[in-house]
Amino acid sequence: MSTDSSVQHNQLSTGPGERAVRVEEILRSLPEVDESTPLAVQLAEDTRRRVSLQGLQFPHPDRTRIITVANQKGGVGKTTSTVNLAAALAQGGLSVLVIDSDPQGNASTALGVDHRAGIPSVYDVLVNEEPLSYAITQCPDLENLLVVPATIDLSGAEIELVSLVSRETRLRRAVDEYVLEREQAGLPRLDYILVDCPPSLGLLTLNAFVTGREVLIPIQCEYYALEGLSQLLKTITMIQQHLNPELHVSTILLTMFDARTNLAQQVAQEVRDHFGEQTLETTIPRSVRISEAPSYGQSVVTYEPTSTGALAYRQAAYELAVRN
Ligand SMILES: Nc1ncnc2c1ncn2[C@@H]1O[C@H](COP(=O)(O)OP(=O)(O)OP(=O)(O)O)[C@@H](O)[C@H]1O
Ligand SMILES: [Mg+2]
């Protein structure tokens, strides 16, 4: 079942047409799987994914896609999905910026960037009206992945913003100006900007909704998954009507999916029944590798690229890029 990745890589580092033929050949050469053994099925799925994703260049979107990753429910996989999709898109050859808009700073930790109190961060952009470039830093693991970190200073921003002018549109203005600034400086266009939100519908999330053109909602496959979703959708509709007509829910990602439980299957089915078009086919399994990667200051995609969890995020990122 296991395949030599360096051999595969050499076989796959050719032009796109030839590459597709080689991938087909390798996939056809894989042995038949005993469907009655879940582990064998999983290994076969991972091998298929590894072969088809190896060295794959993702398509560039026509314009910068700005995606807000939100769900006011806590711990559903917003941050994990933001950093891993971003890392996978960057690994696929795209130019990506992550904006950490959560005072917890989890996305900054997971991408290995400094976020001690006082360093240039999204707080300075929102409250002090600094340009986005003031706070941008480089993810140490991936050359084409930029990060605007969040520090603990951001925890005061919800209150500080209340009395400031244009409090809902501050991030949007900074992002739009930065995109223009890059264009004028002749820098390559950003393909993706992903904004990670805190678990609330306060001013930080509102700013992220006004900035994004798309919303990606991670949904954890558990009993309470759909509770609170109608409030989230109402808020998005309100923003769309009053502040950002382009905003729409483009993507739903099922996270922490455990195929062995009926409950996870039922929740996934219910989400697909309601949001068939938006829900990615790829689901993210519950995986120890995914949860331990942040403690190494890494996304799972760079920490353990061939693990089941990393392959799932890489596949989900490819699906996101292709669906454009
Ligand atoms: N697929 C997964 N498998 C195992 N653990 C996961 C997975 N996805 C996320 N986790 C873990 O679940 C916890 C919550 O995930 P995460 O921080 O991404 O959620 P969140 O929605 O951003 O949370 P918050 O609302 O606090 O911002 C983390 O400890 C994370 O490591
Ligand atoms: Mg988070």
Side-chain angles (χ1 to χ4, degrees):
M1 180 82 43
S2 72
T3 41
D4 184 319
S5 59
S6 65
V7 172
Q8 273 175 21
H9 186 77
N10 291 338
Q11 287 178 333
L12 296 178
S13 52
T14 49
E18 259 177 81
R19 184 187 180 284
V21 174
R22 292 265 163 81
V23 166
E24 271 307 309
E25 275 172 14
I26 295 173
L27 291 179
R28 262 202 311 273
S29 71
L30 295 174
E32 290 288 314
V33 183
D34 174 5
E35 299 278 344
S36 64
T37 320
L39 189 60
V41 172
Q42 184 63 62
L43 277 170
E45 174 69 24
D46 283 359
T47 306
R48 266 199 303 276
R49 276 194 177 151
R50 201 168 64 222
V51 171
S52 52
L53 287 166
Q54 185 124 38
L56 188 61
Q57 291 296 301
F58 291 10
H60 294 273
D62 297 336
R63 61 170 190 163
T64 306
R65 286 179 73 184
I66 310 178
I67 306 179
T68 298
V69 181
N71 190 337
Q72 82 274 29
K73 191 181 270 296
V76 297
K78 292 182 286 298
T79 302
T80 307
S81 300
T82 305
V83 302
N84 286 299
L85 290 174
L89 290 166
Q91 217 175 44
L94 302 179
S95 172
V96 185
L97 167 69
V98 168
I99 301 177
D100 186 352
S101 198
D102 181 351
Q104 299 180 98
N106 295 153
S108 311
T109 306
L111 291 172
V113 302
D114 190 4
H115 64 107
R116 282 168 298 161
I119 66 153
S121 71
V122 72
Y123 173 85
D124 301 290
V125 174
L126 285 168
V127 177
N128 301 329
E129 294 187 90
E130 292 287 357
L132 204 67
S133 52
Y134 171 77
I136 286 181
T137 181
Q138 169 74 50
C139 170
D141 298 318
L142 290 156
E143 201 188 326
N144 43 344
L145 179 54
L146 300 172
V147 185
V148 174
T151 65
I152 192 68
D153 305 313
L154 195 60
S155 56
E158 289 277 7
I159 295 167
E160 287 176 67
L161 279 170
V162 172
S163 59
L164 298 179
V165 289
S166 58
R167 58 190 179 189
E168 303 97 349
T169 55
R170 289 180 159 231
L171 186 63
R172 163 92 183 222
R173 207 188 51 221
V175 167
D176 286 354
E177 278 173 10
Y178 178 66
V179 169
L180 199 66
E181 195 183 301
R182 283 183 69 101
E183 197 180 307
Q184 284 165 352
L187 290 169
R189 193 187 58 195
L190 288 172
D191 293 307
Y192 283 82
I193 300 177
L194 270 63
V195 189
D196 185 29
C197 291
S200 68
L201 292 175
L203 273 170
L204 290 173
T205 300
L206 228 58
N207 262 279
F209 279 151
V210 175
T211 303
R213 312 310 196 252
E214 302 176 40
V215 183
L216 183 153
I217 307 178
I219 293 184
Q220 184 182 351
C221 298
E222 47 121 56
Y223 182 66
Y224 297 113
L226 299 175
E227 259 178 40
L229 203 60
S230 60
Q231 182 58 40
L232 178 61
L233 296 175
K234 254 188 240 159
T235 305
I236 294 168
T237 306
M238 197 187 73
I239 305 276
Q240 190 187 51
Q241 285 167 351
H242 300 286
L243 292 163
N244 182 7
E246 280 182 84
L247 189 71
H248 64 287
V249 178
S250 68
T251 314
I252 290 179
L253 178 60
L254 297 168
T255 64
M256 295 181 240
F257 181 72
D258 185 348
R260 295 166 307 178
T261 71
N262 286 336
L263 181 61
Q265 304 270 14
Q266 280 163 14
V267 171
Q269 194 50 54
E270 202 171 333
V271 172
R272 289 189 194 283
D273 289 346
H274 283 91
F275 306 98
E277 219 173 278
Q278 292 92 338
T279 310
L280 293 186
E281 238 171 77
T282 315
T283 54
I284 307 301
R286 201 173 263 289
S287 131
V288 174
R289 289 281 179 271
I290 289 178
S291 59
E292 69 188 14
S295 61
Y296 296 90
Q298 285 194 45
S299 66
V300 76
V301 165
T302 53
Y303 168 63
E304 187 93 37
T306 55
S307 64
T308 303
L311 289 166
Y313 268 117
R314 289 167 65 193
Q315 182 71 36
Y318 183 65
E319 209 187 324
L320 180 74
V322 169
R323 275 169 162 237
N324 187 14

